Structure formats: C-alpha cells, structure tokens
Amino acid sequence: MNTFRYLLFPMAACAITATAQAQTTGTIGGRVTNRNGGAVEAVSVGLEGQPKGDITDEQGRFRIRQVAPGQYTLVVSAVGLKTEQQTVTVVAGQTATINFTLAESAAELKEVVVNGSGTNKFSRRTSVDVAKMPLKNLENPQVYTTVAKELLTEQLVFTVDDATRNVAGLQKMWEATGRGGDGGAFYASRGFVVSSQLRNGVAGNVTADIDAINLEKLEVIKGPSATLFGNSLTSYGGLLNRVTKKPLDAFGGELTVAAGSYGFHRVSADVNLVDANAPAEQPKTLAFRLNTAYNYEDNFQNAGSTGFTKSLAVAPSLQYRPTDRLTVNLDAEIYQGTNVGKQLIFFYFPSAQLGYDRADQLPLDYRQSYQGPGLTQNTRSTNLFGQVRYRISPSFTSTTYLTSSHSYSDGFGAYFYLTPAAFSPYNTLSISRADQSTQNSRRQIFEVQQLFNGDFQLGRLRNRVVLGLDFLRLDSDVNFLGGNIDTAPLNVPGSPYDYTSFNADLVNARYAQSPPAHYLVTTKTNTYSAFVSDVLNLTDQLSVLAALRLDHFDNQGGILYTPTTAYKQTTLSPKFGLVYQPVKDQVALFANYQNSFTNLSSYLAPGGTTPTIAKPERANQWEAGVKLDAAGGRVSATISYYDIRVSNVLRSIPDSLNRAFSLQDGTKWSRGAELTLTANPVRGLNIVGGFAYNYSLYVKADENVNGRRPTDASSPYLANAWVSYRQPEGSLRGLGAGFGGNYASDNKIVNSVALGVFTLPSYTVLNASIFYDQPKYRISAKVDNLTDKKYWIGYTTMNAQKLRSIVGSVAYKF
C-alpha cells in the first residue's frame, strides 16, 4: 500500500496546483462540425497570436486550457479549408464554449479533412490510446502506425488480418485457428510474436478472424510496452489496438453487399441513430450505432467441397451524454462462426530426411487441402465493454473501463506434418494427417481500469499526466483432444489417392474405437497494477516522458497440459522518452527506453533436487529516430533504429543422463530499422509505404539453436506500399484506383541443429482496386494477389496462401 501512496502523492500535489491555476485562468472548449452536423476530426483550433491550441478529436471536440482572462480570436484552420474565426472572452475559473460549423459540405470535407490532416486522408496525427492520453504523434517518443478506415474502404478490406498488410515491419505468420485458447491470427513484429488482444486500449478477446465492420482505425504500437499496457496482452514486439467506431451526432449509415471469387459473399450495415428532437448543432444526449456483417467464403484449396468460413459479426454501441462533463459508452462485440481450419503443415523430422529444405521444392499440390468434408469447428467471441468518462475540472478527467471478454470453440482442428519415406507405409514422402479438437473450450478475460488524466502547468512547465489502476483476470478452461489419424502418400504413380478419406466420419470412427487423449488448460491468473506517466514540456520544443508500472502477478495454478504450481511475482517496469522539435509541429527527433517482462514460475537447476524460483524474463529496448509532419500535413514519416535485448531467459542444460535441467542466464537480441511514409504530394494522390529490417539472434541459448535466428522472428526484410489516385473535381469526381503490395524475404521456419533449416521463399504479392465514390453510393472492385502468386507464411509451420481473387462491392449511403 505504501507504493500506491507514493504514486498517488505526486498526482494529488499536481491536482492542488492545477486547481489553484484553474481559479486564475479559464478554458475554451467546443466542437467543430460540418453543415450536416457531422464531427470534423483533426483540424487545428488556436488562439490568434498565441502559442496555445488544440486538435479536434473523433467527436470534433477541442479544449484549450490555462488561458489568461481576456478577449481572443479563436481560429479553425486546416489545409484546403477556408479559415474560420470567432471572438471569445475568457473569464477566470470558467469555460467559454464556442462551436464552429464549417460551410463545406460533407463530400467536400471528405476530400479535404477526412479524419486527417489536410488532404493526407490516410494520416492520423493524434492518438488517445497509444500513450493513455491525447497526444500528437510528433510529441510521442514511441513508434506506432495507424491504419485509417479510409484506406480499408479503398482497399475493400473486410478483416483486421488484411488491414495489417499496411503496417511496416508486421508480418502475418499464422492464420487464426478459431480455437478458444489461441485467439486470432499471430504476427511477427521486431522479431517477436504479436496477436490482437486489445480494443480501445483495454482487453478485447478474439477467437477467429476479426471482422473489420466495427474498425475505425488499427493502431500497431511497436516495441516492449508493458509499462502502460501490461505484459499479459502484449509482447516484446508490441501490440495491436483495435479502435472501434463510436456513435455520431447525426443520423446516417451505409448498407453494403459484396461478392467474388471462391464463393465469397458478404452483407454489412452501419447505422447511426440519434435523438431527432435535439438541436442539430448541439451534441446529442443519446446516440446509438450498430455495425453488423455476414460473411461467407470457400477455401481456395478444393473450393466448395472441403473448406469454408462463415461468420456473423454484431457490434452495437450506445453513447449517453447527460451533461458536457459526463459521457457513458456501452459497447458489445458478438462474433459467431463456423469454419474448417486453414491448412497448417508442421515439421517433426529433419529437413535432410525429408529431402527438401524449401517450400517451393516440395511435391505438394498447392490447390489440394488434403482433407475431406465435415471437419468443422464452431467459434464464438462475446465482448462487453463499458466506459464512463467524467471531466472533474478543466484540467482533470476520470475514465473508468469495464471489460468482460469471452471466447469459445468446439469442433475439429485438422493439422498435418511431412513424413519421410523411411517412416511412411508407402515408402515415399508422405503427409500425415491428425486432429487436435477443442471440446467446449473457453477463455475469459475480465478487466477493470481506472485512469486519471491531467493537463496542467507547474510554473511555466506543461504536464500531461496519467495515473492508472488496473485489475486483469485471465481464466482458461480449454479441453484439447485428438491425435494422429492416418498417413497419405504425396506421390502414387498411376493411382490417384483419395485425400477426402480424412473426414469427420473417419475421425469420429477412430475416436469411437480408441478414445483420444485429452490435454487440459485450466490456468487462472490475476494481475494487479498501478502505473503513472508524465509528458513534461521543458520548452515549447523539448519534452520528456517518464513512466513507471508496478505489477503484481498472481498465478493461481491449475493445469497447463500438466499440473502447475501457483506462484506470485511483483515487478517494476519503467519507460523513458525524449522529443525535440527543431521545427515546431513539423520535425521531431526522438529517443526512448521501453521495458517489458514475462512472468516465469520455477525451474530445476543442474544438480538440484528442488525447484528454483525464477526471476521475470526482461526485454529492454533503446530506440532513436525522426518523425516528420511536413508540407502542411501532406507528408508524414517516421524513421527509427531500435535495439531490444532479452535477458533472464531459461535455457535447457541436459546432463549425462538426459535429465532436463535449466539455467536462467539466456539472452536474445533483436535490432533493426523501420521506415513508414504517408504522403499526399498532389491533390487526389495518396501514398502509403513502409520498409523494415530486423536482425534477431539467440546469443546465449540451448545449443540446438544458439547463434541462430529464431523461427518466430519471420522474414528479416519486409516492405509494403499503396498508391492511389482519386479524381478531386469535375464530372469524374470520386473516381479512383489504387495499386500496391507487400514484399517479404526468405523466412526460416525451421532453424536448429536437430532439424536443420527449412525456408519459406520470399514473395511479392500485388493488389489493386478501383472505385467510384459518391455522396449516396460507392461502387468498388478489387483484385488481391494480382499475379496469382504461390506463397506460404508460418513459423515452425507452413501455410499456403490464397491465390488470385476478385471481389466487387456496392454500398448505399444515407
């Protein structure tokens, strides 16, 4: 309790000082809307002749604090917009409310300031979740990438998985399995495994593919981030944060139908309802928004006969604003689906025994699923969210989050592995077929998080502070079952093999004949945390960030395939950052130190007879770079170099009797460079691009992998690009097209002394889209994998990816 008191004391002192300042200064607040009542985000609102100002948020709101009493001219401006201004009088201890209605129509604003800066419509200059406080990208010493909904619409992206292709240095490695204990897809970032487990900065569990119908933007935060987000839902490579759509202040919506290759068809709706009796120019007390989508697609391998994915997503959101100080948000995400798992091929034998060390050499039929019908799985995710935000004073805000997240799966989980000729009944390279089903498997997450945000002056120094208290409970009740079913040859000259023999009837018959083994995961953990972070402006151009997290981890034991012992650990996680802007609001030089950790239980040291309590594994990152927001917001870029060192890694030390001992002195190293670019060089032309290089190495590890690149580090070189043009005026206004793709270098998915090296070859996948966007409708089409490229993803596995597909879409807007 003493530690919590020390964390609270500086906050209380700051609050007293800020309250005293609030009595001698005033605040200016309000909203910026278009003439249809819609919010206008990310435009600048400032005091003429003064350095004070703000940028509007997603609801068009702004707030300028600590303004000396007097009369000022308030100016709203953005690239391509006619400047608007009003006179405002500030009184000490009071808030002056000024609203702006921009004369441009909704369609004109979409060309000029569609939730971004100027016509750079794919850019986002601010974030609330990345630093747990409203902060401009140029002020944030951490690197992150934002994928905006406008880019997703242009690319006809329907899942979060596909949205990630616009993020530099992020590579998809595993398809979502749909299993309740696994969550969604797995990615690699900065040499470490990352998955999507956060929604609006707090826990949001998933089971299968995540539909993008409710996605406002995707924030991919780079590097160890435990200080603000904890370690249970993040990795050393960073985290994925899904920012969802919120209710708006105007009635409207969109109905969309789409269809295409491999039996794909989709129906979706986005409907926003408001109180019709409320004044059009005022924020609505009550607003409701519903996003929903139904999706179906056959597997490109044996399309329509053995594999498919069917899903329904329903995401209602209610916002209640009884006063201008109190906002209550209630949200739900309900995902339900039935699918046949994507083909995952494992490697249990050395590549030398297989006779092949590259995926493109194997005698596999790329279009063959190697399974029959009926091996389906049912999945569900139900997430409930509550948020209460209360403005305590002009300088302080309280935000309370409640999250209840549930995932469920039941059904088959087919998987495969290559078997050398010497171990195959067919005396040829074969594919063994197995099942790992889940039976009424569940994973539940419950989180309560309380944030107190402050924005105040101490003397002439501006402080932006967040104090957080967090409770997170993870409760797993997963029942895996299954085993090997049969082996099928890859080559039978003159006698085609019936691969559909591996089906639900065969698996059920085998289980009836010999009950399968069960593997349980019934672990439960509670994490109690407190954290504080302060962004201190030493000058108008120089700021420092300091943050600290106190984390108490309580593992209550259970079964993780075998019984596990309960244990507790308390850990401190610091974070520091420095930002200097040599050109104010255009160029920022930054550096950061970031930390994360992994709780470990115990291990048996060489020669020992009783377990030794392990220390938490640590990851420490040092990073430096430059951020740009130049040419009136038309060019946004980030260039950085990072170095991540992982210490306290457990490594195996078998003795002469091959008994499993361990030492906690292992180390792992990951370093690299990243470049991201979002640009609007001329009106109508937009560019998104990125490049990443990563060098990862086991520095001190098991002899089997020591000195080698980890198999979960993905490809060392990654690149992405998207170039689009949209006609901004004339009779063809709204007509546009986009083209781009992704490159990944060779990926070693097997890399050890025992198993040798197996490589997934490099690939370049190209995509294109065309669209005609009008105020009342939008017609779109896309081609993914334009050149029909055969390529694989994976880590320790290989998974063939979809060939060329064509999709068309029609949307009606109201």
Side-chain angles (χ1 to χ4, degrees), residues 47-118:
L47 301 180
E48 189 174 53
Q50 300 287 329
K52 291 183 177 293
D54 196 12
I55 293 177
T56 57
D57 63 14
E58 294 174 354
Q59 298 295 332
R61 300 189 188 98
F62 63 91
R63 186 166 295 275
I64 306 173
R65 300 173 174 86
Q66 281 91 42
V67 182
Q71 191 174 72
Y72 300 89
T73 299
L74 193 62
V75 180
V76 175
S77 62
V79 176
L81 276 179
K82 179 183 176 181
T83 299
E84 300 282 349
Q85 60 185 39
Q86 295 187 48
T87 301
V88 59
T89 300
V90 177
V91 178
Q94 297 183 17
T95 297
T97 301
I98 299 293
N99 296 320
F100 287 85
T101 301
L102 302 181
E104 287 77 1
S105 69
E108 290 167 332
L109 281 172
K110 195 169 185 179
E111 287 298 322
V112 181
V113 287
V114 181
N115 292 334
S117 45

Side-chain angles (χ1 to χ4, degrees), residues 625-636:
V626 60
K627 295 182 179 183
L628 302 177
D629 191 3
R634 292 182 180 273
V635 178
S636 298

Side-chain angles (χ1 to χ4, degrees), residues 758-789:
F758 193 91
T759 302
L760 302 183
S762 64
Y763 60 82
T764 300
V765 177
L766 301 177
N767 310 302
S769 73
I770 187 170
F771 51 90
Y772 185 53
D773 198 355
Q774 295 298 298
K776 289 295 184 181
Y777 64 90
R778 181 179 60 254
I779 302 173
S780 311
K782 70 169 180 177
V783 182
D784 284 339
N785 196 354
L786 189 65
T787 61
D788 213 28
K789 177 71 174 179

Side-chain angles (χ1 to χ4, degrees), residues 483-499:
N484 293 338
I485 303 301
D486 69 2
T487 299
L490 290 179
N491 277 314
V492 181
S495 177
Y497 190 88
D498 180 14
Y499 293 109

